[in-house]
Amino acid sequence: MTTNADLLEIPQSEQTVFNGLLIHVNHMQVTLPNGQSAMREIVSHNGGAAIVPVDADENLYMVRQHRIAVDEMTLEIPAGKLEYRGADFRDAAIRELEEETGLRAEHVELLTSAFPTPGYCNEILGIYLATGLSQHEDHPDADEFLHVEKLPLKEAVARVMTGEFRDAKTIIGILMAWYHLHGYETPSGK
Amino acid sequence: MTTNADLLEIPQSEQTVFNGLLIHVNHMQVTLPNGQSAMREIVSHNGGAAIVPVDADENLYMVRQHRIAVDEMTLEIPAGKLEYRGADFRDAAIRELEEETGLRAEHVELLTSAFPTPGYCNEILGIYLATGLSQHEDHPDADEFLHVEKLPLKEAVARVMTGEFRDAKTIIGILMAWYHLHGYETPSGK
């Protein structure tokens, strides 16, 4: 951090300007590295967890949903919000997997803990890989409507690369799962 | 869409409940597929553009910044917000590249157009690959303080996989750029 002291913004005061159902918004007055003041609009969110369920034949389970914020029927990896800020990401990932798909996993590994929009929001998203899957009953939330779809992980990678899968956590989960399972060396060794 | 009609949420009414500097929040009343009503809190954001600048030796240029929303010094690909919703993503990516790093690119290709948080926000982020780089003067915004750092793209992939690089657009940009440049077949052909 010593070499980056000239990047540091120092908070001076903070005020909550919106309390919503899902998010809160604060206006934070900061001192910039040059001594001037600026205002940062910061969104507060509980965070979430997502999970990449891959079976023994390397099929991926995804959920199709209507995402009204972007007005699309997206195909995403199973995911959900934390019940409160500070809740356990791994527990949430396992819970969402079973709620949305009915799958349980023998092995759940962290792929990464990502910031979806660090420029203005404190949201953290834990993204996990689930293997050793077994099928049980699903039980989505009362206001959640979704279809589970199964496809080869390799096909999912291809559909990321064509730009078809556009949800950030889904892109991250699929590509990191592929690298994790297969490595990222190419035949040329480059 | 016919097979997904049972997933469709129909908007009934919408009300703006917060107008901020960067975001707006709407409360949208929707009719769920089962006929019941629910309220969706939707954040409106202009969207943004990000760019993965890779030179002829396959070095990646990144910017280190203090992201006060997540209280971290992050290393991210160059990026910025659109000036208005509907502005051109490619123009914004090229502008941010030059502002933040002083680089110009002969070739700028779309990697993907991602939704960082489609569960509650309409933000779209255009993520580009820039090659054929030449160095010019940088000129960051008055309230923007950053350091440019150069590292091999391959090292950047490794630092994504260890979980060190946590910014979603950066993870997506780096992994998609690697796949784009090297393919994702492994030596075994799996």
Side-chain angles (χ1 to χ4, degrees):
Chain A
M1 288 279 280
T2 50
T3 59
N4 297 311
D6 59 325
L7 300 179
L8 203 62
E9 297 185 357
I10 315 274
Q12 297 301 341
S13 63
E14 195 171 11
Q15 185 189 3
T16 300
V17 291
F18 175 70
N19 274 310
L21 303 168
L22 181 70
I23 63 155
H24 306 286
V25 183
N26 289 336
H27 280 173
M28 184 188 278
Q29 203 72 34
V30 300
T31 303
L32 299 174
N34 64 4
Q36 296 190 323
S37 284
M39 222 250 282
R40 301 297 185 207
E41 185 164 277
I42 297 176
V43 175
S44 181
H45 182 283
N46 284 348
I51 192 157
V52 187
V54 178
D55 72 13
D57 299 320
E58 216 167 271
N59 288 303
L60 170 66
Y61 292 78
M62 301 181 75
V63 291
R64 189 175 293 279
Q65 284 169 279
H66 185 199
R67 290 299 202 175
I68 203 154
V70 295
D71 196 25
E72 284 218 357
M73 291 282 176
T74 60
L75 202 51
E76 302 180 18
I77 56 174
K81 294 179 286 291
L82 297 193
E83 286 174 357
Y84 55 93
R85 189 152 175 100
D88 190 81
F89 290 95
R90 193 172 185 278
D91 290 350
I94 292 167
R95 181 191 68 228
E96 293 293 339
L97 177 64
E98 184 159 351
E99 281 184 7
E100 295 188 352
T101 69
L103 293 167
R104 291 179 197 163
E106 272 178 59
H107 309 290
V108 176
E109 296 165 82
L110 182 67
L111 288 170
T112 195
S113 169
F115 301 129
T117 52
Y120 64 93
C121 182
N122 69 358
E123 182 177 2
I124 298 174
L125 190 65
I127 304 179
Y128 293 82
L129 174 63
T131 53
L133 303 180
S134 57
Q135 187 69 56
H136 302 262
E137 287 274 305
D138 62 352
H139 40 90
D141 290 340
D143 67 345
E144 197 171 44
F145 296 84
L146 48 84
H147 292 164
V148 177
E149 298 187 20
K150 187 170 99 166
L151 71 166
L153 180 62
K154 185 172 183 171
E155 179 189 325
V157 174
R159 289 167 77 176
V160 166
M161 292 305 295
T162 61
E164 180 187 344
F165 292 163
R166 300 174 65 188
D167 170 47
K169 66 180 174 298
T170 299
I171 297 173
I172 293 170
I174 289 170
L175 296 188
M176 288 190 75
W178 180 269
Y179 277 139
H180 187 86
L181 294 169
H182 292 280
Y184 54 92
E185 299 291 332
T186 58
S188 68
K190 268 181 81 176
Chain B
M1 289 279 280
T2 49
T3 58
N4 297 311
D6 59 327
L7 301 179
L8 202 62
E9 297 185 357
I10 314 276
Q12 298 301 340
S13 63
E14 193 170 12
Q15 185 188 2
T16 300
V17 291
F18 175 71
N19 274 310
L21 303 168
L22 181 71
I23 63 156
H24 306 286
V25 183
N26 290 335
H27 280 173
M28 185 189 276
Q29 204 71 35
V30 301
T31 303
L32 299 174
N34 63 3
Q36 295 190 323
S37 284
M39 222 249 283
R40 302 296 184 207
E41 185 166 279
I42 298 177
V43 175
S44 182
H45 182 282
N46 284 349
I51 191 156
V52 187
V54 178
D55 72 12
D57 298 321
E58 216 168 271
N59 288 304
L60 170 66
Y61 292 78
M62 302 181 75
V63 290
R64 189 174 293 279
Q65 282 170 279
H66 185 198
R67 291 299 203 176
I68 203 154
V70 296
D71 196 24
E72 284 217 359
M73 291 282 176
T74 59
L75 203 50
E76 302 180 17
I77 57 174
K81 294 180 287 288
L82 297 192
E83 286 174 359
Y84 55 93
R85 191 155 175 98
D88 190 81
F89 289 97
R90 194 172 184 278
D91 291 348
I94 291 168
R95 182 190 66 227
E96 294 292 338
L97 177 64
E98 184 160 352
E99 281 184 4
E100 296 188 350
T101 69
L103 294 166
R104 291 180 198 162
E106 273 179 58
H107 309 290
V108 175
E109 297 165 82
L110 182 67
L111 288 170
T112 195
S113 168
F115 301 129
T117 51
Y120 65 92
C121 182
N122 69 358
E123 183 177 2
I124 298 174
L125 190 65
I127 304 178
Y128 293 82
L129 175 63
T131 53
L133 303 181
S134 56
Q135 186 69 56
H136 302 262
E137 287 274 306
D138 63 351
H139 41 90
D141 290 339
D143 67 344
E144 196 171 45
F145 298 84
L146 48 84
H147 292 165
V148 177
E149 298 187 19
K150 187 171 100 166
L151 70 167
L153 180 62
K154 186 172 182 171
E155 179 189 325
V157 174
R159 289 167 77 175
V160 165
M161 291 306 294
T162 62
E164 180 187 342
F165 292 163
R166 301 172 66 188
D167 169 48
K169 66 180 173 297
T170 300
I171 298 172
I172 292 170
I174 289 170
L175 297 187
M176 289 191 74
W178 180 268
Y179 277 141
H180 187 85
L181 295 170
H182 292 281
Y184 54 93
E185 297 291 331
T186 58
S188 68
K190 269 181 80 175

